[in-house]
Amino acid sequence: MNFTQIGKPLKRYDAAAKVTGKAKYAGDFHVRDMLIGKIYRSTIAHGYVKKIDISKAKALPGVVAVITFNDTPDIKYPTAGHPYSTDPKHQDIADRQILTNHVRFYGDEIAAVVAENDLIAREALRLIEVEYEELPVVLTVEDALANDAPEIHKGTKNIVGKMNYEFGNVEEGFAKADFVVENEFETQTVQHCAMENHVSYAYVDAQDRLTVVSSTQIPHVVRRIIGQAFEMPVHKIRVIKPYIGGGFGAKQDSCIEPLNAALTLAAGGKPVLLDLDREESIIGTRVRHAVKYKIKTGVTKDGKMIAREVSLETAKGAYASHGISPVAKQGTAFIQMYTTPNVKFDMISVYSNAPVAGAMRGYGIPQINYALESHVDDVAAKIGMDPTDFRKLNQVKEGDADPKTKLKILSCGLEECIDKGKELINWDEKRKKYANQTGDIRRGVGMAEFCYGSGTYPVCLEIAGARIVLRPDGSILMQVGATEIGQGSDTVFSQMAAEVLGISTDQVYLESTTDSDTTPFDTGAYASRQTYVSGAAVKKAALECKSRIFEAVKKRKEIAVEKLDIKDSQIIEKNSGKVVMSLADLAMDTYYSRENSNPISVDVYNQTKSNALAFGVTFTEVEVDIKTGTIDVIEIYNVHDSGTIMNRQLAEGQVHGGMSMGMGYALTEELKLHPETGKTLNNNLLDYKLPTMMDTPDLGVEFVETYEPTGPFGNKSLGEPPAITPAPAIRNAVLNATGVSFTRLPMNTQRVFEKFKETGLI
Amino acid sequence: MYDFNKYFEAETLDEAKKILKENPNAQIVAGGSDILVEIREKHIEGLELMGIHKIKELKEISIDSEGTISIGCMATFHMLENNEIITKHIPMLGRAGGVVGGPQLRKVATIGGNIANGAVSADTATSVWAYNSQLVLESADGNRTIDVKDFYLGPGWTDVKQNEILTKILIKKEDYEGFSGEYIKFSQRKALDIANLGCAVICKLDGNKFSDVRIALGVAGPVPIRCKTAEDYAKGLEVTEENINEIGKKAVLDGKPRDSWRASKAYRQQLIEICSQRALTKAAQLAGGK
Ligand SMILES: Cc1cc2nc3c(=O)[nH]c(=O)nc-3n(C[C@H](O)[C@H](O)[C@H](O)COP(=O)(O)OP(=O)(O)OC[C@H]3O[C@@H](n4cnc5c(N)ncnc54)[C@H](O)[C@@H]3O)c2cc1C
């Protein structure tokens, strides 16, 4: 494909505004009379509030309001950032109240204060007195399913949901296999740690409407959820999304907005800022599901996997949030990655008295991918095959179809990704060199691969809106419902519009604020969907705008529409290249012509009914310090097939961030709870070991560009995928270095030390 | 917003002493990188803060005619890393300063705050102890100089009284001349982290024999410690891999680590052994050992 704007390493349109501080984030609006909201969080993990005394807090000078569960509506609502389902059977679980007297995790929200400033608000919290009736703390799947387990949500038996399926017959498959390999794996709870915490401010506007300005990935959905929380029609609610400092899924959920709305209502409609600190953001928003796996593969002598089975369980925390979706989706990846005739998947998700698991970059896939790709290396080792050859023999390719959805793969560069990765890391030579080492310091190379969808079709609705206005100077104003949260989607959308319209990107003004009143509808930033799904709406709007332009030219110049094109903001005759008129002259005339005044503005929606798989690999080399259990990543490469790369610079940024996230997942990050009280022990950035720049080697990024026919410009997803494979690749490199099969994340020094003791290396 | 009642700015050392005496709720804020974090986390009733960063003499690093090095409490880690007296005579302390936090922090955080705060993980505490430093404490009621070994009273608890200022840290010539040293900070991250173990080792050789070995450990007990058993054992031993390994094993006997959710006792003991060995190996190499 020959593009003029797509693929250019264009600088982010908002780069200067962000580094100079001109870009305003939700916490930056210091409006007149702004009050401060703070949340009173429970100091037990499970039980009921027997007594709560807020009188002293209320009496404190400077306190405007103190509310408890007695003051908020007795309504249960869902929080997940999913499109609404018109089928009640598929609606998200409504188990949340704005404030609660039934404490379900350590830090649950019981009461809240509004005060004139932050210090008074904090002092007011100290003056609230609470007595609890405690219940046993449920932290594991076993606890939750015990016969005498207390119910965290009445009537659920603590089960959020189950799912299973089988294609072919795995029992028969295992019977035919030459080898059967079984493993158990376990992943940990981690948190998103977006640069910007959850923050919003809310007020009642001049038309008596509840307005919430929030750091969210899903402004339109949040409007609906606030409506559900108050049983209020959406026309009384307005949600605005300003610049956002990252979300990674924790903001694909309405964590704070309904409470913020309740706080402004309690304060007579005055603006109230609800700005969670890091400690609260870590426990009080969302976390990644910790999952346990039992996985089994039957393989023939010549390396064909003929039966695969996985069963997984998760204790997902105090509220349903996204329900079973991030766990059920793991079955998709499990089945899609390798074409095995007999596959079986089953899962169970239960409630527990822990911080709530929800969406997080990769939506369950980093977990299953860790288990699957670690297991696959063990299987390859069992039959003595090189892990890359083994994968090539078994993995999906163009033309294969998902056995469940029947969606066909139309583009697949996975094999090329592997070849590229091998070359970058010098695979063949190093695998040999590192085969049998002794000594305290050992090296190894490892890899892992993934596949990942571009959106949620056919499980969920995929709808996106875009609006383009041709302005009198020939530039365009564009509005999209898709949400720029730092990933760079707005820049890419302007490249798309510029591409179609034959103008340069500086002629595209894209309004970054999303406002549920004025911005077209779109369900938001998640599932790596926006360039693929929302991009299709942008393309459609631009094409429609272009044909409106040509119609307008035809009216004026009597040239057939088919003969026209636009290049460098000049309307030209396609064949001769002759300039007919400038886009600016035409635009001006559409506004002011005495005969033909009809300014051009288009407003379109596009529903996507396809879903393309993106592919990729991580290749890495590690150095293991046997005596201290330290694993150092020496070299690491991600190679991606995301179809057409829209903007190399932004794409690399996405990949870098994902790789760093994956490395933290592999080695250091883990949210830890006290095993008895359920209190989070390390909800701060000192004790929660997010890797720093110094822990990160140079990150190698390569792309294998395929052309995906269902993508608006041949493109597929790239937002989440980079975070998926680093952890298993590192794990497999450690296997190569030491011969030890690790089965649990993270591989922090303590755990590596224990494993080396167990296996006799120390 | 920070939760404190009042702020004093001391222009001179005498004024600082006077403010502390007259205001029993007043606490020193040096770089603020410990205390501001602390008051963000917890409410301290009636807290008042006194800044001392205008007092020039507290930032001085000097060496007197007898070779005693004096480090002013307000010397930042950045200064330690770059000061010629330090990099020439006690380079290990400079390197220890260089692994604290990140570049921004090292420009504000001070050695005085690091020591006075009393944290067992303080990255300079082990070097300060390995060099047998003396701490000068001044107040409106008089001055005193104490040995670092008498300084720590318990976890996060030191012998600095509310009205006292730790003005300087003194290191005598006999405690650095002829010594080479290595500091190993073992932590989960390579920046912005506190140590799982801090291990400062200095040694002096006589030919290829250890004539003096000092091993100071942070996070190996409730307060920073010195490894007496290992140090005594080492004296007079030949510099060999076996001997160094054995010295590391002896250091484990001196450590008093405990199990916590951050790391197990067994793992901490492993770190004591390995880090002492590695630091001593490096120190001996620097001292010309073979
Ligand atoms: C992001 C970050 C990273 C960090 N990383 C590290 C690290 O890697 N290693 C490490 O050891 N520490 C680290 N720290 C902790 C801290 O920076 C150090 O302990 C620092 O040396 C404290 O010095 P300060 O000048 O900021 O002390 P302050 O916070 O100003 O004071 C600390 C305490 O000492 C008292 N005090 C200060 N000066 C004196 C004095 N002259 N006399 C008497 N009392 C005094 C104060 O009253 C207060 O109680 C880190 C802190 C942060 C915020």
Side-chain angles (χ1 to χ4, degrees):
Chain A
M1 279 290 153
N2 271 336
F3 292 123
T4 59
Q5 304 294 334
I6 303 291
K8 276 195 180 171
L10 194 76
K11 159 175 113 192
R12 301 176 64 99
Y13 83 98
D14 54 4
K18 283 184 170 171
V19 297
T20 56
K22 280 185 189 145
K24 284 202 171 188
Y25 294 77
D28 292 336
F29 296 88
H30 303 287
V31 300
R32 200 180 62 184
D33 299 334
M34 179 84 95
L35 300 167
I36 303 296
K38 288 250 172 255
I39 301 170
Y40 185 91
R41 296 182 179 277
S42 71
T43 53
I44 62 165
H46 198 196
Y48 287 93
V49 176
K50 233 171 31 190
K51 230 167 94 185
I52 182 160
D53 184 351
I54 56 171
S55 56
K56 283 185 198 145
K58 265 193 157 155
L60 184 71
V63 170
V64 177
V66 182
I67 60 170
T68 73
F69 47 82
N70 289 317
D71 306 300
T72 48
D74 188 15
I75 297 169
K76 289 198 169 151
Y77 60 93
T79 63
H82 289 148
Y84 186 67
S85 174
T86 49
D87 173 3
K89 283 205 297 282
H90 287 118
Q91 284 173 3
D92 289 305
I93 298 171
D95 65 2
R96 187 90 195 197
Q97 284 173 287
I98 293 176
L99 294 168
T100 182
N101 72 332
H102 183 172
V103 171
R104 296 181 172 94
F105 72 99
Y106 202 111
D108 209 347
E109 298 162 16
I110 299 172
V113 302
V114 179
E116 283 166 10
N117 68 40
D118 174 67
L119 286 186
I120 298 172
R122 280 199 269 165
E123 185 166 0
L125 291 184
R126 285 197 296 275
L127 294 172
I128 294 176
E129 289 163 14
V130 179
E131 270 177 50
Y132 300 101
E133 176 194 326
E134 293 198 45
L135 290 170
V137 178
V138 171
L139 292 176
T140 63
V141 174
E142 213 180 353
D143 287 351
L145 297 179
N147 280 333
D148 58 348
E151 276 191 327
I152 296 171
H153 292 275
K154 284 212 181 80
T156 61
K157 296 200 167 70
N158 291 333
I159 294 171
V160 182
K162 297 182 190 182
M163 187 158 97
N164 57 69
Y165 40 80
E166 179 167 3
F167 296 95
N169 183 323
V170 289
E171 284 317 315
E172 283 175 15
F174 288 132
K176 280 191 216 141
D178 295 315
F179 300 99
V180 175
V181 181
E182 279 182 83
N183 289 126
E184 292 187 14
F185 291 97
E186 191 175 342
T187 68
Q188 78 281 36
T189 301
V190 294
Q191 216 265 338
H192 315 61
C193 297
M195 187 97 83
E196 179 192 33
N197 287 319
H198 281 64
V199 48
S200 62
Y201 83 95
Y203 56 95
V204 176
D205 75 7
Q207 277 112 38
D208 244 4
R209 285 155 18 106
L210 200 44
T211 306
V212 183
V213 179
S214 178
S215 177
T216 177
Q217 299 172 225
I218 45 163
H220 284 285
V221 175
V222 165
R223 177 181 60 174
R224 182 201 87 219
I225 292 171
I226 296 172
Q228 289 174 301
F230 290 90
E231 287 179 355
M232 198 187 259
V234 291
H235 76 262
K236 302 199 80 165
I237 303 158
R238 180 177 176 195
V239 173
I240 298 170
K241 175 219 73 102
Y243 285 96
I244 305 294
F248 305 114
K251 296 173 186 168
Q252 191 204 342
D253 220 318
S254 192
C255 299
I256 59 171
E257 295 90 350
L259 175 59
N260 200 171
L263 291 177
T264 184
L265 292 175
K270 283 195 181 167
V272 178
L273 177 71
L274 187 58
D275 187 357
L276 300 197
D277 58 30
R278 180 63 65 185
E279 289 81 345
E280 290 182 285
S281 259
I282 291 179
I283 59 162
T285 65
R286 298 294 177 263
V287 297
R288 189 188 284 287
H289 292 71
V291 187
K292 283 188 180 167
Y293 298 87
K294 284 200 174 95
I295 185 165
K296 184 172 168 185
T297 294
V299 65
T300 61
K301 278 198 295 277
D302 51 358
K304 261 305 207 188
M305 293 196 272
I306 54 171
R308 296 190 292 124
E309 176 177 2
V310 68
S311 126
L312 48 125
E313 57 175 50
T314 180
K316 64 96 58 218
Y319 294 95
S321 170
H322 281 234
I324 64 164
S325 307
V327 197
K329 189 181 175 185
Q330 301 187 25
T332 316
F334 181 72
I335 289 172
Q336 285 170 338
M337 191 76 251
Y338 300 101
T339 46
T340 311
N342 309 295
V343 274
K344 191 173 166 189
F345 167 85
D346 81 83
M347 60 130 300
I348 179 166
S349 172
V350 303
Y351 286 112
S352 60
N353 296 122
V356 180
M360 183 170 175
R361 194 176 196 171
Y363 213 71
I365 307 309
Q367 292 99 308
I368 185 94
N369 187 267
Y370 161 73
L372 175 60
E373 289 298 286
S374 300
H375 175 70
V376 162
D377 252 49
D378 287 3
V379 176
K382 174 89 191 172
I383 59 165
M385 231 172 129
D386 178 275
T388 58
D389 294 336
F390 183 66
R391 283 179 173 82
K392 282 184 181 177
L393 192 63
N394 288 286
Q395 72 202 14
V396 280
K397 55 188 183 314
E398 203 175 299
D400 289 340
D402 181 317
K404 197 153 166 251
T405 63
K406 311 288 181 228
L407 289 174
K408 237 190 180 153
I409 293 169
L410 304 176
S411 63
C412 177
L414 183 55
E415 194 156 329
E416 293 86 332
C417 288
I418 293 180
D419 291 339
K420 185 98 214 158
K422 284 177 77 167
E423 180 193 319
L424 287 166
I425 203 91
N426 200 358
W427 178 265
D428 292 328
E429 198 186 306
K430 285 183 182 163
R431 287 293 286 194
K432 257 188 233 129
K433 189 167 145 200
Y434 298 150
N436 294 304
Q437 296 167 81
T438 52
D440 286 352
I441 308 288
R442 300 183 200 175
R443 288 205 171 187
V445 289
M447 60 83 63
E449 66 184 34
F450 73 87
C451 60
Y452 197 80
S454 305
T456 63
Y457 180 82
V459 179
C460 285
L461 164 72
E462 283 297 4
I463 179 78
R467 183 182 297 142
I468 291 178
V469 177
L470 181 67
R471 297 191 290 192
D473 60 357
S475 69
I476 63 163
L477 170 83
M478 182 156 76
Q479 284 183 312
V480 293
T483 323
E484 166 68 76
I485 61 166
Q487 78 282 51
S489 57
D490 280 357
T491 303
V492 167
F493 293 143
S494 46
Q495 286 177 274
M496 293 179 181
E499 180 73 45
V500 174
L501 286 167
I503 60 181
S504 63
T505 45
D506 62 8
Q507 294 297 297
V508 182
Y509 175 79
L510 201 138
E511 177 53 56
S512 177
T513 303
T514 312
D515 181 330
S516 63
D517 270 9
T518 56
T519 319
F521 182 77
D522 187 305
T523 49
Y526 56 83
S528 306
R529 63 185 283 281
Q530 293 197 149
T531 311
Y532 184 77
V533 173
S534 310
V538 170
K539 183 179 179 184
K540 189 169 171 182
L543 284 170
E544 192 163 322
C545 180
K546 197 171 176 180
S547 72
R548 290 276 305 279
I549 289 167
F550 293 163
E551 292 290 342
V553 175
K554 186 179 156 207
K555 258 205 172 123
R556 287 163 176 81
K557 299 276 183 187
E558 302 282 330
I559 306 176
V561 165
E562 311 77 61
K563 293 198 170 142
L564 292 170
D565 204 353
I566 311 172
K567 207 180 158 198
D568 301 332
S569 286
Q570 302 293 323
I571 298 157
I572 56 169
E573 276 189 52
K574 226 186 247 171
N575 288 336
S576 64
K578 207 177 107 216
V579 174
V580 180
M581 65 195 298
S582 74
L583 188 56
D585 286 347
L586 175 80
M588 196 67 162
D589 207 55
T590 62
Y591 279 83
Y592 297 110
S593 158
R594 290 301 179 103
E595 275 89 57
N596 288 316
S597 176
N598 188 11
I600 294 171
S601 95
V602 303
D603 200 339
V604 309
Y605 282 93
N606 189 66
Q607 187 176 359
T608 295
K609 291 183 178 166
S610 60
N611 192 343
L613 284 181
F615 300 93
V617 296
T618 299
F619 276 78
T620 185
E621 175 168 359
V622 300
E623 185 172 278
V624 185
D625 182 339
I626 305 283
K627 287 277 169 64
T628 63
T630 309
I631 298 168
D632 251 332
V633 177
I634 308 290
E635 254 182 274
I636 187 161
Y637 300 94
N638 262 32
V639 188
H640 288 264
D641 160 21
S642 288
T644 305
I645 295 305
M646 311 300 291
N647 180 325
R648 172 99 197 193
Q649 199 176 343
L650 288 180
E652 281 183 6
Q654 282 298 300
V655 180
H656 288 159
M659 290 170 80
S660 154
M661 215 170 209
M663 287 168 57
Y665 193 49
L667 298 175
T668 52
E669 290 181 46
E670 178 174 28
L671 201 63
K672 294 180 182 167
L673 304 192
H674 188 283
E676 275 120 46
T677 64
K679 183 181 184 190
T680 301
L681 297 168
N682 59 341
N683 52 324
N684 62 71
L685 294 183
L686 175 56
D687 291 313
Y688 181 84
K689 306 293 183 187
L690 210 58
T692 69
M693 285 297 276
M694 300 296 287
D695 303 294
T696 313
D698 287 345
L699 301 170
V701 181
E702 284 294 337
F703 297 103
V704 168
E705 287 198 58
T706 57
Y707 193 89
E708 167 58 39
T710 65
F713 297 91
N715 54 298
K716 306 190 274 191
S717 69
L718 185 62
E720 294 162 283
I724 298 173
T725 37
I730 291 168
R731 181 267 183 200
N732 291 339
V734 174
L735 173 63
N736 180 229
T738 64
V740 177
S741 286
F742 279 83
T743 57
R744 197 171 164 199
L745 289 178
M747 295 180 288
N748 60 27
T749 61
Q750 166 81 41
R751 214 166 265 152
V752 173
F753 162 75
E754 284 167 11
K755 188 90 182 174
F756 285 164
K757 276 237 133 170
E758 193 188 304
T759 50
L761 256 67
I762 301 181
Chain B
M1 275 185 176
Y2 286 103
D3 190 3
F4 58 93
N5 284 352
K6 209 168 174 181
Y7 182 75
F8 304 98
E9 186 69 60
E11 307 277 340
T12 65
L13 188 53
D14 283 341
E15 194 187 335
K17 293 177 191 168
K18 191 160 162 256
I19 293 169
L20 286 180
K21 188 176 167 85
E22 287 169 3
N23 301 278
N25 280 331
Q27 271 197 45
I28 294 171
V29 55
S33 63
D34 272 319
I35 194 158
L36 294 182
V37 174
E38 189 183 337
I39 63 179
R40 184 180 165 277
E41 281 163 7
K42 70 169 196 252
H43 173 71
I44 303 172
E45 202 55 49
L47 178 69
E48 299 169 350
L49 294 177
M50 177 185 73
I52 54 173
H53 75 277
K54 287 195 176 167
I55 308 172
K56 282 214 182 65
E57 60 195 278
L58 295 181
K59 293 180 189 161
E60 273 165 25
I61 299 173
S62 60
I63 186 161
D64 70 13
S65 54
E66 280 160 34
T68 300
I69 296 169
S70 166
I71 305 167
C73 64
M74 290 298 281
T76 62
F77 295 119
H78 177 77
M79 288 163 69
L80 296 185
E81 279 181 273
N82 296 292
N83 179 276
E84 273 181 23
I85 296 172
I86 296 198
T87 51
K88 182 165 171 213
H89 298 292
I90 44 174
M92 180 174 69
L93 179 63
R95 288 201 299 271
V99 299
V100 174
Q104 298 94 329
L105 182 90
R106 294 197 289 271
K107 286 265 184 178
V108 297
T110 66
I111 186 167
N114 203 224
I115 300 301
N117 196 51
V120 68
S121 57
D123 272 309
T124 57
T126 40
S127 299
V128 163
W129 201 345
Y131 290 119
N132 280 343
S133 307
Q134 291 178 315
L135 309 175
V136 180
L137 298 163
E138 299 189 28
S139 76
D141 300 329
N143 302 345
R144 59 191 179 114
T145 301
I146 62 168
D147 265 5
V148 63
K149 71 173 167 30
D150 302 320
F151 183 68
Y152 293 98
L153 304 179
W157 181 29
T158 70
D159 195 26
V160 190
K161 311 271 184 318
Q162 178 274 332
N163 67 339
E164 285 182 322
I165 304 168
L166 165 63
T167 53
K168 49 190 173 239
I169 294 159
L170 304 177
I171 301 175
K172 291 203 200 102
K173 193 173 183 176
E174 69 213 48
D175 285 311
Y176 64 80
E177 201 179 43
F179 281 95
S180 294
E182 171 73 351
Y183 178 63
I184 294 180
K185 173 182 188 171
F186 190 90
S187 56
Q188 297 296 303
R189 288 189 291 225
K190 295 197 182 93
L192 290 172
D193 211 351
I194 51 163
N196 295 111
L197 183 77
C199 177
V201 174
I202 60 174
C203 72
K204 210 157 136 171
L205 300 188
D206 180 3
N208 201 40
K209 284 193 178 129
F210 290 114
S211 59
D212 198 348
V213 170
R214 300 183 193 165
I215 303 174
L217 302 176
V219 210
V223 299
I225 56 164
R226 278 276 292 273
C227 299
K228 191 88 176 52
T229 320
E231 292 181 7
D232 289 347
Y233 175 80
K235 229 160 262 170
L237 288 186
E238 195 79 23
V239 180
T240 65
E241 197 181 323
E242 297 77 59
N243 284 338
I244 289 174
N245 285 349
E246 204 46 44
I247 297 167
K249 290 206 169 87
K250 291 279 185 293
V252 178
L253 303 176
D254 293 299
K256 292 174 195 65
R258 59 183 180 95
D259 277 315
S260 87
W261 60 267
R262 291 193 175 89
S264 70
K265 182 176 166 182
Y267 181 54
R268 291 177 198 273
Q269 286 177 328
Q270 170 83 358
L271 289 179
I272 293 174
E273 181 182 329
I274 303 301
C275 294
S276 309
Q277 290 165 351
R278 289 180 181 176
L280 183 56
T281 305
K282 184 73 199 283
Q285 267 167 19
L286 291 172
K290 284 166 238 118

